Amino acid sequence: MLSKKSAAIHSSPVRELLKFSKEPGFISLAGGIPATDMIDVEGIDSVLQQLLAEDHRDVFQYSVTEGEWPLRQSIANWTQNVGLPLDPQQILITNGSQQGIDLLNRVFLEKDDVVLVERPTYLAALQLLDYTEAVIEELAYQGDQIDLGALETRLAAGGVKMLYLIPTFANPTGRIIENEQRIEIVKLAHRYQVVIVEDDPYGHLAFTEQCRETFFSLAQQLYGVDHNVCYMSSFSKIFSPGLRLGWLALPEKFLMAVTVAKQALDLHTSTLNQHIAARYIASGRIDQRIALLKETYRQRRDGLIESLQRHLGDAITFNRPEGGMFLWCHLKEGMDASRLLKACIEEKVVFVPGDVFFAENPEKNALRLSYSMLTQQTADEAAVRIARALQTLSS
Amino acid sequence: MLSKKSAAIHSSPVRELLKFSKEPGFISLAGGIPATDMIDVEGIDSVLQQLLAEDHRDVFQYSVTEGEWPLRQSIANWTQNVGLPLDPQQILITNGSQQGIDLLNRVFLEKDDVVLVERPTYLAALQLLDYTEAVIEELAYQGDQIDLGALETRLAAGGVKMLYLIPTFANPTGRIIENEQRIEIVKLAHRYQVVIVEDDPYGHLAFTEQCRETFFSLAQQLYGVDHNVCYMSSFSKIFSPGLRLGWLALPEKFLMAVTVAKQALDLHTSTLNQHIAARYIASGRIDQRIALLKETYRQRRDGLIESLQRHLGDAITFNRPEGGMFLWCHLKEGMDASRLLKACIEEKVVFVPGDVFFAENPEKNALRLSYSMLTQQTADEAAVRIARALQTLSS
C-alpha cells in the first residue's frame, strides 16, 4: 500500500546517528545542531514572560498563513541591517528551512524538471527532492568554484527549473559563492528563466567581517520586482531549533502560490512561537546572541582543527570554514569514511560520512565533522577516539 | 516557472473569508475556529509557567521526528479513557491534522490512485489532494448513509488506494458513521487492501453520551497489528489551534515510512509546544476544558438553530448535529448560496458556501454555518442579517 517511492526512501542517516548522540559517553560530531549550551534560555524566557504578562489570548488561536505581522515586520527591520532590504509583505513564515524547501519544491517542480545542486549539498534537501518527480543533477566545478561556462551550457540545453544553493558557509563544505559569481549566476538564471533557491541558514555565523550580498538582493537590484530568487532562512542555528521557525522572502509573483501551498500543508506556523521570535528579534537580543555564537563557534572550529592536527596528522585533511558549524574533511584517497564510522561507533564517537551529501559519484573518503557542540576537552577526546578507530582499520 | 498545478490552485475560500472575520462589525460563521473566548489561557499559562520554572533548556533544542516521548505517553494514557487503546510507539506528533493528511498522501498516493471521499467532505483535504496525482471520487450514498454495496462494487473494480473519512461529526455535515457500518467498512478495506484515513478532530466534542469505537480500534480488534487504518486527531478544537499540534496513530507497518516523510518535511514538530500539550493533558485540564466546550457548543448550536428558525423560517433547513461546530444547511432548491454570500457580505455577515466541500456535483444551495464563536446576541444578529440579505436577493 505504501507508494513505491515511500517504500524506497530511508531515514536520514544523520538523524539515525543523532540517536547515538543521546547515549551516555558518546561524543557526537554528527548533527547540524547548534550548541545546546549556547541557547539563550534566559533571553527567550524573558521575552516569553513579557508576552504572558500581556493580553496574549490570540497566540493560542489560529493565525494567517503568511505569518504574524509583528514577526514579518521584525524580520524586515532586522535584515535591513545585514544588506537584505525587504518589505514585510515579501516574507512568509515557515516551520524552518526544511519546510521552506518543501514548499518551493511543491510550487515549482513538475515531472522531469531538473534541479541543479551543489556538489556536495545539504542531505535533507536531496531527500526532499527524492519525494518529487524532479531530476537532480550536480553543478560542474572548476576546482572549488562553480564552472559558469558549464552552467550556461547546461541551462541553454533546457529542462532546468531550479538551482538549489547554500551560497554562504554551505552545508557540508563551508564554501562561499563570491559576489562576482553571484551576479553571473543571477544573470544566467534570469536569462534562462530558472528559479534560484537561496538557502541561507548560516549566513549570520560568520567569523570574520563579510561583504557579500544575498542573491535575492542582487537580483532585486538587477531586475527589480520581477526577479527569480527565493531566499530562505531559519532561526534554528541562531535562536532556537526547537521552536521550528524559518522564513522565506519571495518575489511578488510567487507569493500567492507559495502561500496557498503553505496553507494547504499545515495552515500556518505556530502563533505562539512566532510572537516569541518577534519579541526576541525586536529586543536586540538576537544580535547579541549571534555575536556570542560567532565567537564561540570560531573558537570551537579552531579547537577541533588543532585536535585533529595533533592526533590525526596527515591522515585527514580539511577546510578552514569562515563561518558555520562544520569541517569538511577527507581521509586519504581510497579510504572509506563509512567503514571508519563503524569503527568510531565502537569508540563512542560519531560523525556523518560525506558520501550521503552527494547527488552523484560520492566521495567515499569524505566526512563532515560538526564542531558546534564541542568543548576543548571533547574536541580533543573526539580526535583521540577517531585516531584510535583509524588505527583499528589498518590493523 | 510555477508548476501548472500550483498556478491553478487557489487560496482556500474559507481562509479568504476569515479575513472578513477580523474586520470590525463583521459576524463570522465562516471558520472552523474554536471559540477564542473558550481557550483556556489560564490553564495553558499555568502549565507553561511550571515548565519554565524547571530546567527546560531542551524545549528550545531539536527533537526527534516521532515526537517527544512525554507527549506520546500522555496521549496514549488519555485515549485509553475514550476507547482508543494505543501504545505510545504507535503515535507520531504532527503540526495538526492538516499535516497529518499531507503526510499520509505523500506516503500512499501514486499517480492515478483513487481516493474515495465523503460527499461532501473537508475542503482543505480536497485541496491537499489536488496537489497529488491521485484521483478523487465520491462515495455513493443511500440517503444519509454510505451505500456499502456500492462501496464494495467500487473497491472490487480496483484502483482505490485510500478512503478518507471524518466519521464523527463530519465537517461540514455533522454526520456520524455508526458502529455497524464502521465494522463493514473496515472489513471491506481489509479485503481490498485499501488504507482508511480516519480524521477525527471533533470526536471529543459530543453533546450527548456517545458509544462509538474508532475505526482504528475496531480494525485492531479484527485484524491485530496488521490492520490498515491510520487515525489522526488534533488539539486544535479542544486545546489550542495556534500551537499547531496534532497526532497520528499508525499500524506498525506504516510507522517508518510516515516518520521518514515527516522528517523530510520539517524535521519535527515544535519541542516547546509538545511539552506544553503533554503537561496540559497530564494535568487533567484537558478533560475539564472539553466538558466545558461540549456544554458551550451545545448551547451555541441551540442558540443558532433557534435564531435561524425565528428569522428565516422555512427559507433554510439544517441538521441538528450531535457534536462538533457546524450546522449544515440548505436554502430552497435552485437558490445559490454563493449569491447569498455576496449579499451577506454587504450585511457584514459571512459563512462558507457549501459547494466548495464537494468533490463532484456540488449542491449550490448548501451552506456551512459555524456556531462555535456565537453568543446568543451575535447568533440572533447573524440570523437577522442573513434574512435581510436573503430579502435583497428576491427583490
Side-chain angles (χ1 to χ4, degrees):
Chain A
M1 277 170 285
L2 294 173
S3 70
K4 283 186 219 59
K5 206 188 281 284
S6 210
I9 288 174
H10 302 294
S11 180
S12 159
V14 181
R15 293 194 73 74
E16 290 314 299
L17 286 167
L18 285 184
K19 292 176 181 172
F20 283 115
S21 72
K22 308 229 173 221
E23 292 196 27
F26 261 84
I27 301 175
S28 175
L29 294 86
I33 300 178
T36 310
D37 64 326
M38 294 295 298
I39 293 176
D40 183 14
V41 182
E42 295 70 30
I44 302 173
D45 282 359
S46 171
V47 300
L48 184 43
Q49 291 290 9
Q50 275 172 33
L51 176 68
L52 295 178
E54 299 168 19
D55 177 12
H56 59 282
R57 183 171 289 273
D58 282 348
V59 306
F60 299 126
Q61 183 51 286
Y62 279 123
S63 174
V64 294
T65 299
E66 294 86 339
E68 289 283 295
W69 189 251
L71 178 55
R72 295 162 80 199
Q73 231 172 2
S74 282
I75 291 169
N77 289 342
W78 180 49
T79 64
Q80 307 285 358
N81 307 333
V82 291
L84 177 55
L86 290 174
D87 192 289
Q89 306 260 28
Q90 295 178 288
I91 297 171
L92 175 79
I93 306 301
T94 64
N95 302 346
S97 292
Q98 194 66 21
Q99 187 180 58
I101 300 171
D102 185 49
L103 283 167
L104 297 178
N105 288 354
R106 274 188 200 243
V107 158
F108 291 113
L109 300 179
E110 295 178 290
K111 188 167 167 25
D112 300 332
D113 277 347
V114 173
V115 180
L116 296 181
V117 302
E118 292 168 290
R119 173 180 169 79
T121 191
Y122 175 45
L123 165 61
L126 294 175
Q127 291 177 312
L128 257 180
L129 285 168
D130 277 346
Y131 278 100
T132 72
E133 301 290 315
V135 173
I136 306 170
E137 287 179 24
E138 283 183 337
L139 288 161
Y141 282 76
Q142 263 194 347
D144 222 26
Q145 304 241 327
I146 294 169
D147 182 332
L148 293 178
L151 174 57
E152 170 143 38
T153 304
R154 181 60 193 86
L155 295 182
V160 178
K161 174 62 74 70
M162 182 189 279
L163 208 51
Y164 170 74
L165 304 171
I166 312 160
T168 306
F169 316 132
N171 178 1
T173 60
R175 274 198 302 246
I176 300 164
I177 301 176
E178 296 298 350
N179 268 346
E180 309 79 35
Q181 276 228 331
R182 291 181 182 217
I183 290 165
E184 287 313 305
I185 293 170
V186 165
K187 287 179 173 174
L188 285 173
H190 201 85
R191 186 177 318 153
Y192 294 100
Q193 288 291 281
V194 170
V195 175
I196 294 177
V197 174
E198 176 177 19
D199 190 0
D200 187 28
Y202 308 105
H204 292 274
L205 296 173
F207 303 150
T208 56
E209 214 40 52
Q210 301 286 319
C211 312
R212 259 161 246 108
E213 292 198 72
T214 59
F215 277 74
F216 190 93
S217 175
L218 289 166
Q220 210 157 237
Q221 291 167 48
L222 281 167
Y223 301 113
V225 296
D226 191 36
H227 69 86
N228 297 340
V229 179
C230 301
Y231 175 93
M232 77 175 80
S233 192
S234 164
F235 291 112
S236 292
K237 320 297 182 187
I238 55 175
F239 170 48
S240 162
L243 293 181
R244 307 314 298 121
L245 286 168
W247 53 281
L248 287 164
L250 300 162
E252 207 198 307
K253 60 189 178 184
F254 298 151
L255 208 41
M256 169 68 93
V258 181
T259 304
V260 170
K262 166 68 173 169
Q263 189 186 88
L265 247 61
D266 62 9
L267 305 189
H268 66 85
T269 290
S270 165
T271 325
L272 169 67
N273 302 20
Q274 291 188 58
H275 281 272
I276 296 172
R279 287 164 181 256
Y280 192 80
I281 297 168
S283 72
R285 289 174 185 278
I286 202 167
D287 299 298
Q288 297 166 27
R289 180 58 32 166
I290 288 170
L292 183 57
L293 280 167
K294 292 199 291 195
E295 183 49 32
T296 306
Y297 284 173
R298 191 186 60 71
Q299 289 173 18
R300 291 179 179 183
R301 173 201 65 180
D302 294 345
L304 181 58
I305 283 176
E306 202 228 352
S307 300
L308 292 175
Q309 282 167 340
R310 188 174 336 128
H311 298 291
L312 284 146
D314 66 355
I316 194 169
T317 56
F318 40 80
N319 65 336
R320 191 184 194 82
E322 288 176 46
M325 306 189 313
F326 309 114
L327 287 196
W328 180 240
C329 314
H330 288 84
L331 303 172
K332 289 195 155 122
E333 197 66 43
M335 299 219 55
D336 185 335
S338 295
R339 275 193 69 220
L340 177 60
L341 175 63
K342 283 194 170 71
C344 280
I345 289 170
E346 298 301 310
E347 300 290 339
K348 295 188 187 286
V349 62
V350 287
F351 58 85
V352 188
D355 59 349
V356 299
F357 296 96
F358 291 85
E360 317 164 13
N361 304 318
E363 290 171 0
K364 299 205 72 56
N365 64 329
L367 53 158
R368 188 190 78 174
L369 302 181
S370 171
Y371 48 77
S372 59
M373 303 271 263
L374 299 178
T375 62
Q376 188 57 70
Q377 294 97 297
T378 53
D380 211 66
E381 182 55 26
V384 164
R385 296 183 190 186
I386 295 173
R388 227 165 28 222
L390 207 45
Q391 277 284 98
T392 71
L393 289 193
S394 37
S395 54
Chain B
M1 278 169 288
L2 293 173
S3 70
K4 284 186 219 61
K5 207 187 281 283
S6 208
I9 288 175
H10 302 293
S11 179
S12 159
V14 181
R15 293 194 71 75
E16 290 312 300
L17 286 167
L18 284 184
K19 291 176 182 174
F20 283 115
S21 71
K22 307 231 175 223
E23 293 196 26
F26 262 83
I27 300 177
S28 173
L29 294 86
I33 300 177
T36 310
D37 63 327
M38 296 294 298
I39 293 175
D40 182 14
V41 182
E42 294 69 28
I44 301 173
D45 283 359
S46 171
V47 300
L48 184 43
Q49 291 289 8
Q50 275 172 32
L51 176 68
L52 295 176
E54 299 167 20
D55 177 11
H56 59 282
R57 183 171 288 273
D58 282 348
V59 304
F60 300 126
Q61 183 52 287
Y62 279 122
S63 173
V64 294
T65 300
E66 295 86 339
E68 290 283 296
W69 188 251
L71 179 54
R72 296 162 80 199
Q73 233 174 359
S74 285
I75 292 170
N77 289 342
W78 180 50
T79 64
Q80 306 287 357
N81 307 334
V82 289
L84 178 55
L86 290 174
D87 191 293
Q89 305 262 28
Q90 296 177 286
I91 297 170
L92 174 79
I93 306 302
T94 65
N95 302 344
S97 293
Q98 195 65 21
Q99 187 181 59
I101 300 172
D102 184 48
L103 282 167
L104 297 178
N105 288 353
R106 274 185 200 245
V107 157
F108 291 113
L109 300 179
E110 295 179 291
K111 188 167 168 21
D112 299 334
D113 276 349
V114 172
V115 180
L116 296 182
V117 302
E118 292 169 290
R119 173 181 170 78
T121 191
Y122 176 44
L123 165 62
L126 295 175
Q127 291 176 310
L128 258 179
L129 285 167
D130 278 344
Y131 279 99
T132 73
E133 302 289 315
V135 173
I136 306 170
E137 288 180 21
E138 282 183 339
L139 287 160
Y141 282 76
Q142 263 195 345
D144 223 27
Q145 304 242 327
I146 294 169
D147 181 333
L148 293 177
L151 174 57
E152 170 144 37
T153 303
R154 181 60 193 85
L155 295 182
V160 177
K161 175 62 74 69
M162 181 190 281
L163 209 52
Y164 170 75
L165 304 172
I166 312 161
T168 306
F169 315 132
N171 178 2
T173 60
R175 274 197 303 246
I176 300 164
I177 301 176
E178 297 297 350
N179 268 347
E180 308 80 35
Q181 276 228 329
R182 292 180 182 216
I183 290 166
E184 287 314 304
I185 294 170
V186 165
K187 287 178 175 175
L188 284 173
H190 202 85
R191 184 177 319 152
Y192 294 100
Q193 288 292 281
V194 169
V195 175
I196 295 177
V197 174
E198 178 177 17
D199 190 0
D200 188 27
Y202 308 104
H204 293 274
L205 295 174
F207 303 148
T208 57
E209 214 40 52
Q210 300 287 320
C211 312
R212 259 162 245 107
E213 291 200 73
T214 59
F215 277 75
F216 191 92
S217 176
L218 289 166
Q220 211 158 236
Q221 290 166 48
L222 280 167
Y223 300 111
V225 296
D226 191 36
H227 69 87
N228 297 340
V229 179
C230 300
Y231 176 91
M232 79 175 81
S233 191
S234 164
F235 290 112
S236 292
K237 319 299 183 185
I238 55 176
F239 170 48
S240 162
L243 293 181
R244 308 312 299 121
L245 286 168
W247 53 281
L248 287 163
L250 301 162
E252 205 198 307
K253 61 189 178 183
F254 297 150
L255 208 40
M256 170 68 93
V258 180
T259 304
V260 170
K262 165 69 174 169
Q263 188 185 91
L265 247 61
D266 62 8
L267 306 189
H268 66 84
T269 291
S270 165
T271 324
L272 169 67
N273 302 20
Q274 291 189 57
H275 281 272
I276 296 173
R279 286 165 181 256
Y280 193 80
I281 298 168
S283 72
R285 289 173 184 278
I286 201 166
D287 299 300
Q288 297 165 27
R289 180 57 33 164
I290 288 171
L292 183 58
L293 281 167
K294 293 201 291 195
E295 183 49 31
T296 306
Y297 285 172
R298 192 186 59 72
Q299 290 173 16
R300 290 178 180 184
R301 174 202 65 180
D302 293 345
L304 180 59
I305 284 176
E306 201 228 352
S307 301
L308 291 175
Q309 282 166 340
R310 188 173 338 128
H311 298 290
L312 285 145
D314 66 354
I316 193 169
T317 56
F318 41 80
N319 64 336
R320 191 184 194 83
E322 288 176 46
M325 304 192 311
F326 308 115
L327 287 196
W328 180 241
C329 315
H330 288 85
L331 304 172
K332 291 197 154 124
E333 198 66 43
M335 298 220 54
D336 185 336
S338 296
R339 275 192 70 221
L340 176 60
L341 175 62
K342 283 194 172 69
C344 279
I345 288 170
E346 298 300 310
E347 301 289 339
K348 295 188 189 286
V349 62
V350 288
F351 57 85
V352 188
D355 57 351
V356 300
F357 296 95
F358 291 85
E360 317 163 13
N361 304 318
E363 289 171 1
K364 299 205 74 57
N365 64 330
L367 53 159
R368 188 191 77 175
L369 302 182
S370 171
Y371 47 77
S372 60
M373 303 270 264
L374 299 178
T375 62
Q376 188 55 70
Q377 295 95 301
T378 53
D380 211 67
E381 181 57 25
V384 162
R385 295 181 189 187
I386 295 172
R388 228 166 26 222
L390 209 43
Q391 277 286 95
T392 70
L393 289 192
S394 39
S395 54

